[in-house]
Amino acid sequence: NGITALLRPGDEECFFDESGTGEEIHGTFSVTHGESPVNVKIFNPSDLVVLDLIDTMEDAYTFMALQDGYYTVCFKSNSNELQTIEFSLHIGDDVTVKNVMKEDHLTPISNSVNTLKRGVNELNEQTKYHRNRLIRHKKTTQSTGSRITWWSLTQAFVLIALSLTQTWIIKNLFEKKRNV
């Protein structure tokens, strides 16, 4: 699965994915539109630079994750024109299935295991998506509930104020008639 990113002149775009300790991280990228090279930096979860590629049009990298967390890939444009970059990032068993082994190297059991791993990875991705969606919807619901509460309190205050004002006006009308 490739991603295409648009880089504006002098801009930097970053992308991240989660990896566990000991998993292999493999990526490739190439500048597909634009004549200027880009700078690429990869950061570990502690925000330390893992890889720094300067002035390159395309490259591939592979390394092992030394800690759990999100690894960030940043592309920085050195150009005065718009650039597009296509890149792919594969982590863990995904690397083995997509890039390293050929079909004839896998036994039927390995194929089954890899199919199960892909299924589990897909399930994990769907779980992350739905968890993030649930968090986003929870924030929206809390915000809406808060607004409804404040709106209701404001309406109640206005109604009480109007009631008191009307009572006072009517009371004053009757008091003026007594004085006449």
Side-chain angles (χ1 to χ4, degrees), residues 9-28:
D11 224 357
E12 184 176 47
E13 291 288 333
C14 295
F15 304 89
F16 61 90
D17 204 352
E18 191 171 21
S19 176
T21 302
E23 288 186 317
E24 189 170 292
I25 299 173
H26 175 75
T28 59

Side-chain angles (χ1 to χ4, degrees), residues 9-69:
D11 224 357
E12 184 176 47
E13 291 288 333
C14 295
F15 304 89
F16 61 90
D17 204 352
E18 191 171 21
S19 176
T21 302
E23 288 186 317
E24 189 170 292
I25 299 173
H26 175 75
T28 59
F29 67 92
S30 65
V31 177
T32 57
H33 181 272
E35 301 300 323
S36 299
V38 295
N39 295 340
V40 180
K41 281 189 180 182
I42 300 174
F43 299 91
N44 69 7
S46 301
D47 244 358
L48 299 174
V49 176
V50 174
L51 182 66
D52 190 2
L53 302 171
I54 299 173
D55 291 332
T56 182
M57 293 292 283
E58 64 180 18
D59 209 337
Y61 54 87
T62 302
F63 61 94
M64 292 294 250
L66 298 179
Q67 63 187 117
D68 292 341

Side-chain angles (χ1 to χ4, degrees), residues 44-142:
N44 69 7
S46 301
D47 244 358
L48 299 174
V49 176
V50 174
L51 182 66
D52 190 2
L53 302 171
I54 299 173
D55 291 332
T56 182
M57 293 292 283
E58 64 180 18
D59 209 337
Y61 54 87
T62 302
F63 61 94
M64 292 294 250
L66 298 179
Q67 63 187 117
D68 292 341
Y70 287 95
Y71 283 77
T72 305
V73 180
C74 294
F75 300 94
K76 181 162 178 54
S77 172
N78 299 321
S79 174
N80 294 330
E81 62 181 359
L82 286 175
Q83 292 178 288
T84 56
I85 294 179
E86 288 189 14
F87 73 97
S88 62
L89 183 64
H90 306 286
I91 296 178
D93 297 319
D94 202 23
V95 174
T96 304
V97 173
K98 290 186 177 178
N99 294 318
V100 180
M101 292 186 173
K102 300 207 185 307
E103 206 50 48
D104 56 342
H105 294 145
L106 300 174
T107 65
I109 291 176
S110 295
N111 285 333
S112 298
V113 168
N114 286 331
T115 301
L116 288 173
K117 285 180 182 179
R118 282 192 300 269
V120 168
N121 287 340
E122 178 66 26
L123 183 61
N124 283 337
E125 290 300 317
Q126 289 293 322
T127 303
K128 284 180 197 175
Y129 169 76
H130 287 291
R131 182 181 336 117
N132 291 337
R133 188 174 177 197
L134 180 65
I135 290 168
R136 188 174 59 244
H137 286 286
K138 181 180 178 184
K139 287 179 182 176
T140 302
T141 302
Q142 288 173 339

Side-chain angles (χ1 to χ4, degrees), residues 149-167:
T149 301
W150 284 109
W151 179 246
S152 297
L153 289 173
T154 303
Q155 283 181 329
F157 176 75
V158 168
L159 286 174
I160 291 170
L162 283 174
S163 302
L164 292 173
T165 304
Q166 287 176 344
T167 305

